[in-house]
Amino acid sequence: MASENTRKWAIIPEPNSMTVGEGTVLLPYAERVNESIAIGDGDFLLAHQLVADIRSATGTDWDIATGDMWSGFIRLRIADSWDFDSQDGGTAGAYTLTINTDGITITGCDFEGVRNGVQTLRQLIRQNGAVLPVLQIEDAPAYRIRGYYLDATRGRVPTLAWLKQWADKLCLYKYNQLQLYIEHTFAFDGMSETWRGSSPLTPADTLEFDQYCANLGIELVPSVSTFGHQYVAMRTQELRELGEFSEDADRPFSFIERMRHHTLNVADDRAFAFSTQLVDSYLQLFRSKRFNICADETFDLGKGKSKQEAQRVGVAALYATYVGKLCEHLSKQGREPMFWGDIAIEMPEILETLPNNVTLLNWQYEPEATDEKIQLVAQAGAKQIVCPAVWGWNALLPRIDDAWNNIARIARYGIDCGAEGMLVTDWGDFGHVNDPRMAVPGMIFGAQYAWNPAGDTAENDLLERISRVEYGDCSARFVVLLRNASAQAVFTWRELVEYLELDDGTGNCNTDVAQTIPCLADRLVDHLSDCGNAMTVREARNRMMRNMATTIERIPQANRALQQCMVDIAPIAAHMGNPGITAAVRIAMEGQLLLNRVGFALAEAHDVRDAHDAGDWRPSDYRALARELECWCEAYAKEWNATSQPSELHRIQETVWKAADELRRISK
């Protein structure tokens, strides 16, 4: 490939084979895209995509036609035969792209191949306008399935308009599958107590979005929790008796407990009826034959109402039997079941019980992940899709380095172990404070490595290419600066939530929350035996902040660096012509500055800092900081509305207000 020193454009994912020739090709000011009817693109969407980008980049209007009686400077066609294979031995999604003075030809082995070639050409047009390079590309994906998994339940419910924008972006980077994570945010009949007030997606939304995705060559796969993660449903009056610990249904809401409790009691026959009701009604809205039943993180299984049954048959058998029944139920309806693989990998005997048509979604999010779990599933002979993450959860700014390390590794491991695909996950733990637009770099990492995991792509090179292709940044610095800014997150949304939720709402220490914080979990039992009573909120918070002492010391330096990132990124963003991402990034950076200052103030209140060495964060400034937080929260709420329904924005706001109130309390 040509060096970045000799050209100022890029293609993502990077093609497997590209030859750049001498000279350039000038697009005519008035011409035509001829799209073969054999492609199967009923609405000629691919031709319309090209015409729209030509209009945007050059200001000229092109025509669209089909059939051999009509000429076309850009020609889209299906190959009569195919003579090169993708890395997995197939040809699905493969294409060739030729640009020369005679015109432009995209040839695909199938609809997806033509679609992929069109996306490559669109990227070139967006960067080069009417003057394109002479080149020849032969390209094909490594993974047959290249999917994205978006949390649409634990805080944010996206608007339909934004979901369509996201699908457009996934198409541009050659993804071919999308799943939305649903717990309680779908308007199932007879379950209004579960979804009320959550701005739920509806059947009409789903039907419309399913069609929209299909037109783009993206398979919208239904995904709904059917076992674990039933936090909201198991807190309702109508359904609480189906939970392992129904006696906890009236405890105050907690972001942390939402993540760790409320598993279905599968020893109760009513549980299966509940799960199949969700499955049967939801699958009817999708054209996909796949169905993800989730079944992950069943933390409470065998510990509550099912304890006796678990003691009789074993927790692994209890889990495997229930998941097996759900998979069989789907198989009888001609569906291909999927589920998250964490429990089966923890108890490998489960792997031996899986039906042949079940796909394990093998998630691993550690930046330094090994291939051990992927090898384990491969050796068991089970079908798997590997699942890395964009690393946006619990934070205002995306952890770009962690995402790159995780995604690049998992993609290579999956190919080596014969995985069928890669599903890049985007989670919203703790209220989904992370703006979904912050996930774009991670999403594009996934696009690159699902297409060509074996490529020797350096992180900084990829960040520069993303800046050019996605953001139109000629300086190629935008994403690097975003990465540098995220490195200055010292006291994050996660720490704030943990600090506040250590108070159970009655002034006592919430031991369920404390058990999730490593520096407290080790001390809970010891403290009770040493003192004869439970740890107080003050004691727990003291220990948490003291454990962060070394980290807290970085805050003044981190905020100075973060402010410099804001100064450096502002003129770049001003020239990108994308006010939406500019506002989202500014709000995220301002929010992290405030979070760092809150962490500094709380550390000082717990005597982790010397009050005389507090610099710009003196005790007298706490009330002013509280007011700044509240003003920031209003700006944040406006940006929330750009992508999301109201959903659980109020929980984010209430957390910020609690932090502001705490600052006012400690200022007295």
Side-chain angles (χ1 to χ4, degrees):
M1 295 186 65
S3 166
E4 284 292 341
N5 295 325
T6 62
R7 58 178 171 84
K8 297 298 182 181
W9 50 267
I11 299 169
I12 305 174
E14 195 170 8
N16 290 294
S17 171
M18 180 169 73
T19 303
V20 180
E22 296 293 329
T24 57
V25 174
L26 180 65
L27 290 178
Y29 69 89
E31 246 293 351
R32 178 180 295 125
V33 178
N34 185 303
E35 180 177 350
S36 169
I37 198 73
I39 293 170
D41 178 17
D43 295 329
F44 297 97
L45 174 68
L46 300 178
H48 282 291
Q49 285 181 329
L50 288 169
V51 167
D53 277 327
I54 291 169
R55 182 184 303 114
S56 178
T58 71
T60 61
D61 287 311
W62 279 37
D63 192 16
I64 292 172
T66 190
D68 57 12
M69 297 295 293
W70 297 93
S71 65
F73 192 80
I74 298 177
R75 299 171 292 276
L76 313 181
R77 68 186 188 90
I78 292 285
D80 295 328
S81 61
W82 203 254
D83 58 3
F84 73 92
D85 291 341
S86 60
Q87 288 176 235
D88 66 357
T91 58
Y95 71 93
T96 63
L97 167 62
T98 303
I99 302 176
N100 57 38
T101 54
D102 294 331
I104 300 170
T105 302
I106 295 172
T107 304
C109 67
D110 52 13
F111 166 79
E112 186 182 341
V114 178
R115 184 205 70 151
N116 293 337
V118 166
Q119 307 319 307
T120 297
L121 180 56
R122 292 176 67 202
Q123 291 183 22
L124 289 170
I125 291 169
R126 289 183 176 196
Q127 295 170 81
N128 294 284
V131 182
L132 300 181
V134 172
L135 56 73
Q136 172 73 30
I137 290 174
E138 292 188 354
D139 205 8
Y143 281 112
R144 180 173 56 86
I145 295 172
R146 305 176 303 284
Y148 197 83
Y149 194 88
L150 178 64
D151 191 337
T153 207
R154 287 187 297 200
R156 286 181 190 267
V157 176
T159 64
L160 182 58
W162 187 83
L163 283 173
K164 289 179 178 179
Q165 291 176 34
W166 191 249
D168 289 337
K169 201 172 293 294
L170 293 177
C171 175
L172 181 65
Y173 295 105
K174 305 182 176 75
Y175 278 86
N176 61 7
Q177 189 183 107
L178 173 62
Q179 300 187 31
L180 303 180
Y181 176 56
I182 298 294
E183 288 177 11
H184 65 286
T185 52
F186 193 83
F188 288 105
D189 282 352
M191 292 183 63
S192 56
E193 189 188 2
T194 300
W195 50 254
R196 66 188 185 188
S198 70
S199 309
L201 293 167
T202 67
D205 294 332
T206 303
L207 291 170
E208 183 175 342
F209 190 49
D210 185 63
Q211 181 65 58
Y212 192 86
C213 288
N215 291 343
L216 293 170
I218 296 172
E219 178 186 14
L220 186 64
V221 175
S223 172
V224 64
S225 284
T226 59
F227 197 165
H229 287 296
Q230 293 291 342
Y231 185 70
V232 177
M234 296 301 105
R235 286 163 60 87
T236 64
Q237 295 293 330
E238 292 188 19
L239 295 171
R240 63 177 60 190
E241 288 303 317
L242 297 182
E244 286 275 15
F245 292 103
S246 54
E247 62 271 22
D248 290 340
D250 292 321
R251 293 182 65 170
F253 177 90
S254 164
F255 282 134
I256 294 173
E257 288 184 35
R258 167 189 273 184
M259 298 299 302
R260 298 187 62 82
H261 292 292
H262 295 272
T263 300
L264 209 59
N265 170 23
V266 297
D268 187 327
D269 290 340
R270 294 175 297 174
F272 188 69
F274 168 74
S275 295
T276 53
Q277 177 188 353
L278 297 177
V279 168
D280 292 349
S281 54
Y282 203 42
L283 64 81
Q284 293 182 353
L285 305 174
F286 297 80
R287 68 192 66 204
S288 173
K289 293 300 181 183
R290 297 181 175 91
F291 196 106
N292 181 3
I293 61 172
C294 294
D296 58 317
E297 297 187 325
T298 52
F299 295 116
D300 297 331
L301 182 63
K303 296 178 181 177
K305 291 181 179 178
S306 70
K307 185 174 183 178
Q308 184 175 353
E309 182 65 9
Q311 289 174 338
R312 187 180 71 83
V313 302
V315 174
L318 191 61
Y319 178 90
T321 299
Y322 194 74
V323 169
K325 285 173 61 180
L326 286 175
C327 291
E328 182 182 5
H329 180 79
L330 280 163
S331 297
K332 287 179 178 177
Q333 300 179 73
R335 306 289 167 149
E336 300 173 17
M338 297 175 159
F339 70 94
W340 298 110
D342 52 308
I343 305 300
I345 289 169
E346 287 176 14
M347 296 178 280
E349 60 268 35
I350 294 173
L351 294 173
E352 300 174 4
T353 70
L354 297 179
N356 292 332
N357 68 332
V358 172
T359 300
L360 204 72
L361 302 174
N362 195 348
W363 60 270
Q364 284 183 265
Y365 303 149
E366 301 88 352
E368 305 299 325
T370 69
D371 65 352
E372 181 180 358
K373 293 180 179 179
I374 299 172
Q375 288 271 18
L376 177 67
V377 175
Q379 290 166 4
K383 293 197 299 183
Q384 66 177 319
I385 290 175
V386 293
C387 307
V390 299
W391 271 87
W393 62 84
N394 300 343
L396 293 172
L397 291 166
R399 286 151 291 193
I400 289 175
D401 284 344
D402 289 339
W404 182 80
N405 276 301
N406 177 235
I407 292 169
R409 287 170 184 269
I410 296 300
R412 290 193 295 269
Y413 299 156
I415 285 294
D416 291 343
C417 294
E420 295 195 342
M422 187 163 82
L423 183 67
V424 180
T425 62
D426 183 356
W427 295 104
D429 308 13
F430 293 15
H432 212 147
V433 69
N434 40 310
D435 188 306
R437 291 169 291 189
M438 295 293 99
V440 168
M443 178 272 285
I444 298 177
F445 291 164
Q448 170 64 46
Y449 290 104
W451 191 271
N452 186 7
D456 186 18
T457 303
E459 180 184 7
N460 284 338
D461 173 64
L462 187 50
L463 296 184
E464 291 176 3
R465 290 197 285 129
I466 293 171
S467 294
R468 293 186 186 280
V469 177
E470 171 61 23
Y471 298 107
D473 168 27
C474 295
S475 76
R477 296 180 62 219
F478 180 78
V479 184
V480 172
L481 288 169
L482 183 60
R483 186 268 310 274
N484 294 347
S486 70
Q488 312 312 320
V490 178
F491 191 79
T492 68
W493 180 255
R494 181 188 186 103
E495 279 87 35
L496 180 63
V497 169
E498 288 174 340
Y499 181 91
L500 295 174
E501 289 196 358
L502 279 169
D503 186 335
D504 68 359
T506 67
N508 295 315
C509 178
N510 188 325
T511 55
D512 277 338
V513 171
Q515 287 170 356
T516 69
I517 304 172
C519 68
L520 297 180
D522 295 339
R523 285 291 298 155
L524 287 174
V525 176
D526 292 342
H527 189 279
L528 186 60
S529 61
D530 292 344
C531 305
N533 51 38
M535 189 181 291
T536 67
V537 175
R538 178 70 185 182
E539 289 167 333
R541 287 176 170 174
N542 272 338
R543 179 168 289 276
M544 174 185 169
M545 296 310 298
R546 290 183 184 280
N547 188 66
M548 293 188 67
T550 303
T551 305
I552 293 292
E553 295 292 334
R554 288 188 49 231
I555 286 177
Q557 178 185 356
N559 270 16
R560 285 192 292 271
L562 183 50
Q563 288 168 330
Q564 187 60 51
C565 285
M566 293 169 65
V567 169
D568 293 341
I569 210 168
I572 294 172
H575 287 90
M576 293 190 325
N578 189 339
I581 191 62
T582 300
V585 168
R586 178 63 185 273
I587 292 299
M589 289 185 176
E590 292 282 2
Q592 188 55 59
L593 282 170
L594 290 169
L595 282 174
N596 282 349
R597 292 172 61 194
V598 169
F600 198 99
L602 293 176
E604 187 172 284
H606 287 274
D607 299 322
V608 174
R609 289 282 309 174
D610 184 346
H612 298 293
D613 188 32
D616 294 335
W617 296 283
R618 297 183 302 277
S620 59
D621 290 327
Y622 291 175
R623 293 184 180 184
L625 179 55
R627 292 192 292 271
E628 287 184 65
L629 268 179
E630 289 158 344
C631 291
W632 172 84
C633 193
E634 291 303 303
Y636 174 86
K638 291 179 181 178
E639 283 309 304
W640 177 287
N641 294 331
T643 64
S644 309
Q645 307 267 16
S647 32
E648 294 186 31
L649 171 61
H650 67 95
R651 298 199 190 279
I652 301 286
Q653 294 171 311
E654 288 162 5
T655 300
V656 173
W657 299 337
K658 284 180 183 178
D661 291 345
E662 184 68 15
L663 289 168
R664 292 188 175 98
R665 186 188 66 79
I666 64 178
S667 71
K668 295 179 180 178

